Amino acid sequence: MSTVNLISTLSCPYCGHRKTETMPTDACQWFYECEQCHEVLRPQPGDCCVFCSYGSVPCPPIQAGNGSHCGSR
């Protein structure tokens, strides 16, 4: 079994700003405000959270193979 990485670098598609964040393990993160341009990022169609859309590492449930998205039951 592989280890789940909780650190991901989010890249803003509007201004290119990058910020390393710790991903939550108990909830999806559907919104993220870029600290540089203040645009609110939302998941792209088909993605479950901002980390899957804009992060360097997908969210913990995707990494662990627990369903097709972080909201899977």
Side-chain angles (χ1 to χ4, degrees), residues 5-43:
N5 183 355
L6 297 180
I7 305 299
S8 184
T9 301
L10 289 165
S11 299
C12 178
Y14 299 100
C15 70
H17 181 71
R18 294 170 53 91
K19 174 100 188 258
T20 300
E21 299 281 1
T22 301
M23 294 183 280
T25 58
D26 60 347
C28 295
Q29 186 160 344
W30 291 307
F31 304 102
Y32 181 83
E33 182 180 346
C34 175
E35 70 179 16
Q36 182 168 294
C37 71
H38 302 287
E39 286 287 339
V40 176
L41 306 183
R42 292 172 178 81

Side-chain angles (χ1 to χ4, degrees), residues 30-68:
W30 291 307
F31 304 102
Y32 181 83
E33 182 180 346
C34 175
E35 70 179 16
Q36 182 168 294
C37 71
H38 302 287
E39 286 287 339
V40 176
L41 306 183
R42 292 172 178 81
Q44 294 177 357
D47 286 341
C48 59
C49 66
V50 294
F51 290 104
C52 287
S53 292
Y54 307 106
S56 60
V57 176
C59 68
I62 296 294
Q63 292 180 56
N66 295 336
S68 61

